[in-house]
Amino acid sequence: MTKINPADAITALRRNRADPRRAYIIILASAVAIGLLSLALAAPDINVWRHPVGIALNLLPPVLLAATLYCASGRAWIAILVPTLIVTILSAISFFKVQVRGEPLYAHDIVYATEAADAMQSFTLQWSAWLTLMLIVAALGTVICAFFATAKPRARNRVIGSVAGAVICAVLFLFVYSGDRVYSATGGSRGFLTMFLHSITVNTSGAPDDYDDDDAQNILAAYEPESPGIPDDRRVNVMSIMLESYADLSVYGGIDFKEDVYAVWHALQAESVHGDLIVNIFGGGTINTERTFLTGLPSTDIKQPIQSYVRLFTENGYYAEGFHAGDYWFYERATVCPNLGFDNYYFLQSYPDSTRNDDFFFPKLLELYNARDKSVPYFSHNLTFQNHGGYYTDQNYGSHLINQGNFTESDYNQLANYLAGINTTNELIAQFIDALRHDPEPVVVLLYGDHKPSLGSQKSVYRALGLDMDVTNEAGFYNVYRVPYIIWANDAAKAVLGTDFVGDGGDISPMFLMNELFDLCGWDGDAYMNLTDALRAVMPVVSVADGHPRRYVENGVLRYSPSSAVRDLYEDFEKAAYYRARLQARLQWIMIID
């Protein structure tokens, strides 16, 4: 057997390092390897290997970026280092996010990197051998090219390659990755890179086709109410309470309960209008549900004062305030709450003795309610923090509530700990409602979840329950995005409004929840609310879920586009929503002038 001398091998490698073909081969191999390893990190509910187009879409970005960089820089090591590091870092962050929230990284998540880093400290994250291999590929490819593939393309070829690469990248991004056609065709076979690139432009607040300000104003003018405002004799106090990670898991079966954790919730449902919100988020992203509810808009970008439903209350003489058992800086709430029109807002920092727990939260709401100026009607919007993930995997505080059954030890601990928190929350909700039940002042209370909890790594608890969690399927869509809501009224409010506040409210999007309240109270909203009422009657769910094409529930059918019968109405809504969102700039100038 001939022995290979390492020194001779290295000499041979150096001898041909000026061969550009070697550089191209190493660059291509490294880029393809990184793309394939990124695919291997995809969530388990995404079978990335079953669709050739899905595989190709995930490999093209690193390959094209590497080839373009090689032509632009003339250095093979740069062409490998930059794309492999970018893909590795983004894929790693996405891999960790999947563990925490069951969904990959999307472009807009980068805006809230600080909040995400703070929230993830409470989770135990797992490393993957695939990530180790990605780092090895990045390092090895870079070193080999730096020392053994130093050839540069000819100047003319570099210019042509750079321009061609940039053009191809732009065309693919604009017409393939940004569009819904190819994205939808690949179904559940998309890799992380495909979803990330698609999310850059999906669900953005760009102007609708054929948009014109005058046209939008004419659309809204047709929905102006005959008698706008909330009549003095029908004014009741309103308290909105968004419950962190609240979901009724008893509806799925598969959990062996020792105690009825949801008895309080089910009893309240029986004396309330109740239904389910089909939210846009899972395991996090609270502000999406919160802000779509408060604005009626599909967008949650509130950088300036905006015409919100909070202002609809204050314009009708209400005092608006609220409390969040969290930090003022989280999701920029200290700035956003005034922009929404609140007269005052409180956070943990507002009270020296504050805690994030519901045993502080609910008594504080009653304290604020009882301390209000009773000469004016009252609107409050409040957010809990208790039950926020993550949930302990190595300790169990809820074993008295459920049996382990077929759950792994880690999943059992997480589920039991989550339900222990929910059990406490329900007990405190019962005390809170009882305190208001016989209040001589009329009050209506909204209770609703913001999103489902992230239970187990990559939704493992839900999978153990036998649930389809692939949002590209109809069953998975509802399993992932469904959370409950209740609209309850005390006897004084029922007497003022002349309704019993009992019944099935159905499935609706969070941006229609305020419409449901106004309908029950017999109030006229503004022109925008009246337009959304018309849309809600035929399309109660408009899903603007992260990284996915919009979906609609029209007359009970889940669709990817409105039918021809509803399309004109939906396009009117899009124009009116865009116009209303742009009013924030006008409103800011009005406030400055005033």
Side-chain angles (χ1 to χ4, degrees), residues 539-588:
M539 187 183 284
V541 174
V542 177
S543 174
V544 195
D546 285 349
H548 296 282
R550 289 194 181 190
R551 277 182 283 186
Y552 316 86
V553 175
E554 183 183 328
N555 297 318
V557 178
L558 182 63
R559 309 171 56 96
Y560 274 99
S561 61
S563 70
S564 57
V566 181
R567 187 172 295 118
D568 288 346
L569 176 59
Y570 182 75
E571 289 176 355
D572 284 350
F573 158 72
E574 283 193 313
K575 292 174 182 177
Y578 182 74
Y579 176 78
R580 187 176 177 91
R582 291 177 68 237
L583 278 177
Q584 58 183 292
R586 299 186 183 93
L587 184 59
Q588 184 180 44

Side-chain angles (χ1 to χ4, degrees), residues 273-415:
V273 173
H274 62 276
D276 288 316
L277 296 181
I278 309 302
V279 299
N280 303 315
I281 50 177
F282 175 87
T286 294
I287 56 168
N288 187 290
T289 303
E290 175 188 10
R291 294 176 187 175
T292 53
F293 162 65
L294 292 174
T295 64
L297 297 170
S299 170
T300 59
D301 186 17
I302 304 174
K303 293 184 172 65
Q304 299 169 327
I306 190 171
Q307 185 60 38
S308 69
Y309 290 147
V310 180
R311 295 191 191 278
L312 188 55
F313 278 104
T314 58
E315 289 166 359
N316 280 276
Y318 277 70
Y319 180 79
E321 68 176 11
F323 171 56
H324 174 42
D327 300 297
Y328 69 90
W329 52 265
F330 205 70
Y331 286 132
E332 302 174 334
R333 282 195 175 93
T335 300
V336 170
C337 288
N339 285 343
L340 287 166
F342 285 100
D343 296 299
N344 205 352
Y345 213 89
Y346 302 96
F347 302 93
L348 283 180
Q349 290 78 6
S350 305
Y351 307 104
D353 61 339
S354 64
T355 74
R356 300 181 188 273
N357 298 330
D358 284 349
D359 59 2
F360 177 85
F361 175 83
F362 283 101
K364 180 57 64 177
L365 295 197
L366 286 174
E367 179 185 318
L368 291 171
Y369 175 73
N370 292 324
R372 74 192 188 282
D373 180 355
K374 296 179 176 60
S375 66
V376 297
Y378 180 75
F379 171 73
S380 74
H381 170 70
N382 313 277
L383 298 83
T384 68
F385 190 93
Q386 181 171 304
N387 305 321
H388 191 290
Y391 314 103
Y392 290 116
T393 60
D394 55 353
Q395 302 175 58
N396 193 316
Y397 300 103
S399 58
H400 61 290
L401 298 174
I402 60 171
N403 290 310
Q404 181 169 352
N406 295 323
F407 293 108
T408 65
E409 190 71 21
S410 174
D411 285 349
Y412 173 53
N413 290 342
Q414 290 187 71
L415 178 59

Side-chain angles (χ1 to χ4, degrees), residues 57-303:
L57 288 175
N58 211 74
L59 297 182
L60 278 174
V63 169
L64 286 173
L65 181 58
T68 304
L69 281 175
Y70 182 44
C71 292
S73 67
R75 290 174 173 81
W77 69 270
I78 292 179
I80 289 181
L81 179 64
V82 173
T84 54
L85 273 187
I86 290 175
V87 173
T88 300
I89 291 171
L90 291 178
S91 298
I93 296 171
S94 182
F95 174 70
F96 296 135
K97 188 190 171 196
V98 167
Q99 294 180 46
V100 173
R101 287 182 53 181
E103 64 180 18
L105 178 72
Y106 296 121
H108 72 270
D109 291 327
I110 296 172
V111 177
Y112 296 109
T114 302
E115 288 86 347
D118 180 73
M120 290 177 75
Q121 290 179 8
S122 59
F123 290 85
T124 302
L125 301 176
Q126 301 174 354
W127 185 258
S128 169
W130 297 117
L131 287 175
T132 303
L133 286 174
M134 292 180 82
L135 291 172
I136 291 173
V137 168
L140 193 60
T142 301
V143 170
I144 290 175
C145 279
F147 291 98
F148 305 111
T150 58
K152 292 184 179 181
R154 295 179 180 178
R156 181 172 176 270
N157 292 341
R158 286 179 59 186
V159 173
I160 294 174
S162 299
V163 173
V167 170
I168 293 172
C169 288
V171 169
L172 285 174
F173 176 73
L174 292 173
F175 298 101
V176 177
Y177 291 97
S178 297
D180 291 340
R181 186 173 182 178
V182 175
Y183 189 82
S184 299
T186 54
S189 305
R190 311 176 194 103
F192 156 65
L193 292 177
T194 304
M195 290 186 282
F196 182 81
L197 290 171
H198 183 71
S199 72
I200 293 175
T201 58
V202 74
N203 300 331
T204 57
S205 55
D209 293 339
D210 302 320
Y211 176 80
D212 178 77
D213 272 357
D214 291 337
D215 184 27
Q217 291 178 36
N218 291 334
I219 290 170
L220 288 170
Y223 290 92
E224 283 291 345
E226 294 181 2
S227 54
I230 301 174
D232 291 344
D233 61 349
R234 298 187 65 81
R235 292 184 177 182
V236 298
N237 301 308
V238 176
M239 301 183 74
S240 161
I241 304 172
M242 189 164 73
L243 303 168
E244 173 63 41
S245 298
Y246 194 98
D248 184 356
L249 300 184
S250 68
V251 301
Y252 298 115
I255 301 176
D256 185 8
F257 285 96
K258 298 179 182 178
E259 296 183 18
D260 191 349
V261 172
Y262 292 98
V264 167
W265 187 262
H266 296 157
L268 278 177
Q269 286 179 323
E271 58 175 294
S272 307
V273 173
H274 62 276
D276 288 316
L277 296 181
I278 309 302
V279 299
N280 303 315
I281 50 177
F282 175 87
T286 294
I287 56 168
N288 187 290
T289 303
E290 175 188 10
R291 294 176 187 175
T292 53
F293 162 65
L294 292 174
T295 64
L297 297 170
S299 170
T300 59
D301 186 17
I302 304 174
K303 293 184 172 65

Side-chain angles (χ1 to χ4, degrees), residues 272-276 485 502-507 516:
S272 307
V273 173
H274 62 276
D276 288 316
Y485 73 85
V502 175
D504 183 1
D507 293 348
E516 183 75 12

